[in-house]
Amino acid sequence: MPSDTTTTVPGEPDNALGPESRVHLVPQTPSLIDAHTRIRDRSASRRDVLVHGRRVIRLLLEEAVGCLPHDEVRVVTPAGHTYVGTRTTDDVCAVSVVRAGEALEAELWSIAPDVRIGKVLIQRDHVTKQPSLHWAHLPDGIQDGHVLLLEPMLATGGSLMAALDVLNGAGVADDRIIAVSILASPQGIEHVTRARPSVRIVTSSIEERLDEAAYLVPGIGDFGDRWFGTEGNVTWL
Ligand code: PRP
Ligand code: URA
């Protein structure tokens, strides 16, 4: 039996930070805090970073997907009863900020296997903390739908702003972009929301502050290095 669909405008999730906020904090459940505690521990094994990092990423992505428009859908259950539910729009792409954003890709595909994922290579300079953009490869038609922008560490916000410029250049409107960050600093949120008030930000933690090296406090260290098992500076070839 075909399901019928009605387009509805999604309401603000209950956990939005105030009625007008474009910043959504993942509910701070004991399970989320457990996973955060394990991955932030400096003595965590690689295996623990990956296993418990995926738990955080799953909760974060589910929250982000919940911010997308959804349609009311009626389905008939195997018992013959009608269930009235909602289904999230399929009109969505993702873009990951290489390298660390790639850590979110597998979990996104386990939720939405058909999602096309573009990439932007942005590197933050270790000394100046300024981002440099190297290349972008985006899905065709990206401007017609919504975009999940996978940027796991929102520190100064410079890298996210550079990625937003790329998306705008490709014709994507700010109000169709949801930035997805595991950790976000108050400064980074302020930077992005002032410049781009229509962009939504979904994060699993708003940290206390940035340190002198523009790392998050208490933070997780260098997320890309911890996720991929590397150390030290990039080698430019
Ligand atoms: C890190 C991180 C973010 C960026 C955040 O990336 O993954 O992309 O810094 O910092 P910002 O908000 O101050 O710009 P980095 O360039 O170090 O590369 P990586 O992804 O390889 O770790
Ligand atoms: N990039 C990271 O990986 N961690 C931070 O705290 C800041 C930028």
Side-chain angles (χ1 to χ4, degrees):
M1 174 153 180
S3 34
D4 55 321
T5 64
T6 317
T7 299
T8 56
V9 178
E12 290 291 310
D14 291 343
N15 59 335
L17 298 176
E20 302 303 324
S21 180
R22 306 290 281 176
V23 181
H24 300 267
L25 182 63
V26 178
Q28 302 293 293
T29 59
S31 172
L32 176 68
I33 302 297
D34 173 287
H36 262 280
T37 306
R38 293 175 189 275
I39 61 174
R40 288 169 186 258
D41 187 337
R42 68 194 302 172
S43 63
S45 63
R46 288 259 314 120
R47 184 191 163 105
D48 277 351
V49 169
L50 293 174
V51 167
H52 301 292
R54 282 193 202 105
R55 292 173 57 206
V56 171
I57 290 167
R58 179 68 179 225
L59 293 167
L60 176 66
L61 287 170
E62 292 285 4
E63 190 72 20
V65 166
C67 291
L68 291 165
H70 45 268
D71 297 325
E72 187 176 297
V73 177
R74 290 160 193 269
V75 297
V76 178
T77 69
H81 305 294
T82 298
Y83 173 82
V84 183
T86 60
R87 234 170 25 200
T88 300
T89 179
D90 292 330
D91 198 5
V92 60
C93 290
V95 172
S96 60
V97 178
V98 177
R99 165 187 63 153
E102 293 175 306
L104 280 62
E105 293 176 359
E107 213 54 36
L108 179 59
W109 272 327
S110 74
I111 298 171
D114 295 330
V115 165
R116 295 175 299 148
I117 302 184
K119 311 222 180 201
V120 287
L121 173 55
I122 296 170
Q123 182 66 49
R124 187 173 94 151
D125 186 274
H126 276 265
V127 178
T128 66
K129 311 306 169 203
Q130 294 303 308
S132 52
L133 171 66
H134 297 280
W135 52 255
H137 196 160
L138 303 179
D140 288 344
I142 190 170
Q143 71 281 358
D144 298 329
H146 291 77
V147 178
L148 298 174
L149 180 53
L150 310 179
E151 165 52 300
M153 297 288 119
L154 174 48
T156 66
S159 301
L160 183 54
M161 291 293 291
L164 290 171
D165 285 342
V166 171
L167 291 184
N168 290 162
V172 185
D174 282 352
D175 63 1
R176 291 187 164 223
I177 301 172
I178 299 174
V180 184
S181 298
I182 297 174
L183 305 184
S185 74
Q187 295 95 319
I189 290 173
E190 169 86 3
H191 181 181
V192 175
T193 53
R194 262 187 195 278
R196 307 299 187 90
S198 300
V199 170
R200 276 170 293 175
I201 298 172
V202 179
T203 184
S204 67
S205 176
I206 300 175
E207 299 289 285
E208 286 172 29
R209 59 186 169 87
L210 294 178
D211 67 14
E212 316 68 49
Y215 272 74
L216 293 144
V217 178
I220 194 172
D222 189 302
F223 177 73
D225 280 349
R226 296 196 76 208
W227 187 268
F228 292 107
T230 54
E231 277 176 27
N233 291 335
V234 173
T235 305
W236 293 105
L237 303 175

